[in-house]
Amino acid sequence: MARLAIQVLAISRRHAVPKIQSAWFAQAPEFERWDRGGGNVHRLARVDPSVVVEISGVVHAGATIGESSHVGSGCIVGPDVCIGSSVVLRYNVVLQNCSIGDFCTLHSGVCVGQDGFGFTYDSNNSIVKKPQELRVKIGNSVEIGANSSIDRGSWRDTVIGDNTKLDNLVQIGHNVVIGCDCMICGQVGIAGSCTCCGPHRNRFKGPNRSEKWSYLKHYRARRLCRFSSSARETMAGIGGGFSKTL
């Protein structure tokens, strides 16, 4: 009898979370069950019919997802997030305050668009939080490894250029601008407001789109040429860190 009771308890625990989720979404009629995958999509989200949203994936109001994209189980696509075409989100990816280009892959556990580590002291010498109100812009054909984190900007958008590859456990601080065709290996941390090379491509210009990309000076590009084949390429080794502009 005791053995039977233990089995019943184990089964009830196993099915507790799905039942709670179903009850919650039943009380939130603004979310609809998505036919392709069984995920939950807000009525005000703009999702292409070809998109797959797997079970327990959530797409919030105002989000946009392009054709042939895939949202894995446990993913959260926050309000007003813009995702391009043929983007793959593995399990438990969390996106907020960001836009993502086409043909990108974000592996499990990636977090994009959360507040950066910005604090200051007030007149009473107490620590207070600085506003983090801007976004993250990720270009085309970018791949981001598992459990990496990219913070939203405070005084300029955080930018990841086209065709850049990030390994697992990479931390990108707020206001960082990374150019195109860069490779950043595992456990690298890039401190806030750094600029890591990048060409003058039209996709990501300065705050005033009539200006050239003022974040990268030509002398920096020449210095980078000493150890890369192109001024737009940078490679950061495992466990490295940057605390100022390259």
Side-chain angles (χ1 to χ4, degrees):
M1 193 70 180
R3 185 175 182 180
L4 178 61
I6 291 172
Q7 290 177 345
V8 171
L9 179 61
I11 293 172
S12 63
R13 285 179 176 175
R14 190 183 312 153
H15 294 282
V17 173
K19 286 183 178 179
I20 292 172
Q21 289 180 342
S22 300
W24 187 87
F25 283 106
Q27 296 174 2
E30 64 271 17
F31 285 89
E32 298 177 335
R33 190 72 64 181
W34 191 249
D35 291 336
R36 293 178 60 85
N40 299 281
V41 177
H42 198 281
R43 294 176 184 272
L44 299 180
R46 297 177 292 276
V47 180
D48 188 271
S50 64
V51 172
V52 174
V53 181
E54 292 184 0
I55 190 166
S56 77
V58 181
V59 180
H60 285 268
T64 302
I65 304 179
E67 61 182 2
S68 302
S69 292
H70 188 108
V71 179
S73 294
C75 291
I76 298 177
V77 180
D80 302 317
V81 168
C82 183
I83 298 174
S85 302
S86 302
V87 173
V88 177
L89 307 181
R90 304 297 187 190
Y91 303 133
N92 299 316
V93 173
V94 178
L95 304 178
Q96 53 186 319
N97 309 306
C98 67
S99 62
I100 298 175
D102 302 328
F103 305 105
C104 295
T105 299
L106 279 65
H107 291 277
S108 299
V110 168
C111 293
V112 178
Q114 63 282 345
D115 284 357
F117 191 74
F119 297 91
T120 187
Y121 290 94
D122 63 11
S123 57
N124 297 321
N125 207 31
S126 299
I127 297 176
V128 294
K129 186 176 181 64
K130 296 175 66 175
Q132 311 286 309
E133 299 177 346
L134 298 181
R135 294 174 65 84
V136 177
K137 294 181 179 179
I138 297 176
N140 299 321
S141 302
V142 172
E143 184 162 345
I144 302 175
N147 295 317
S148 294
S149 177
I150 304 176
D151 296 338
R152 70 191 294 198
S154 60
W155 63 270
R156 68 178 180 185
D157 289 332
T158 303
V159 174
I160 309 295
D162 294 346
N163 203 41
T164 285
K165 315 299 181 185
L166 275 61
D167 197 358
N168 301 335
L169 297 170
V170 171
Q171 157 67 14
I172 306 297
H174 56 183
N175 314 312
V176 168
V177 174
I178 296 177
C180 305
D181 301 302
C182 299
M183 288 195 297
I184 300 177
C185 298
Q187 300 186 25
V188 167
I190 301 183
S193 304
C194 287
T195 300
C196 298
C197 74
H200 300 299
R201 290 197 178 181
N202 291 330
R203 183 171 178 82
F204 298 126
K205 291 184 178 179
N208 183 349
R209 299 190 70 86
S210 64
E211 297 176 358
K212 293 292 184 180
W213 195 355
S214 61
Y215 305 143
L216 174 68
K217 303 301 182 182
H218 292 294
Y219 77 90
R220 293 175 187 153
R222 288 197 296 270
R223 185 171 61 182
L224 287 168
C225 286
R226 297 177 185 175
F227 50 90
S228 68
S229 59
S230 170
R232 69 168 183 255
E233 299 169 353
T234 286
M235 179 180 291
I238 294 175
F242 299 105
S243 60
K244 59 182 179 180
T245 296
L246 295 179

